[in-house]
Amino acid sequence: MKKIPQRMCVSCRERRNKKDLLRVVLSEDGNIIYDPTGKAPGRGAYLCRQQSCIMTELKAHRLSKGLKQSLTDDQLKALADEILALCAEEKALEE
Ligand SMILES: [Zn+2]
């Protein structure tokens, strides 16, 4: 049986299948970007595909700790907007 890779959401700290999580990665220039491929180089962190987890996370600045890099509110907000827009798109496709 093939083992499914598990990752922990930095917001709720639940372990989930890697494919069920969103990966964000810290780019070389210190920016935080959403990584849809899950393979971008750099230090990454994982979040549930849930608005609650994403918003809680961004407010608590846990991502900064997880990535060992302080991020500005603007960076976090831009990331949240991108992810939430994406989640809304995916949801629209499912319906
Ligand atoms: Zn979560």
Side-chain angles (χ1 to χ4, degrees):
M1 210 171 96
K2 207 176 166 214
K3 205 163 172 265
I4 299 163
Q6 300 256 305
R7 291 292 182 274
M8 190 176 71
C9 167
V10 289
S11 183
C12 63
R13 309 222 153 238
E14 261 188 61
R15 296 185 76 85
R16 294 174 189 275
N17 294 344
K18 197 179 165 193
K19 66 177 174 55
D20 293 332
L21 294 163
L22 295 160
R23 184 172 189 253
V24 294
V25 68
L26 191 68
S27 65
E28 275 179 14
D29 55 7
N31 216 342
I32 181 99
I33 49 168
Y34 167 55
D35 169 25
T37 66
K39 288 174 186 146
R43 186 185 285 275
Y46 293 86
L47 281 167
C48 300
R49 293 172 170 275
Q50 282 172 14
Q51 190 166 348
S52 59
C53 268
I54 295 161
M55 296 319 287
T56 307
E57 165 46 41
L58 295 172
K59 278 186 200 136
H61 277 248
R62 287 206 196 97
L63 203 55
S64 305
K65 284 173 200 149
L67 295 171
K68 297 190 168 56
Q69 165 90 17
S70 57
L71 300 159
T72 65
D73 284 343
D74 283 350
Q75 282 179 311
L76 291 171
K77 183 158 188 318
L79 180 72
D81 286 349
E82 188 183 351
I83 291 173
L84 293 175
L86 211 112
C87 290
E89 241 172 62
E90 282 180 3
K91 215 175 171 199
L93 287 175
E94 280 168 18
E95 279 163 5

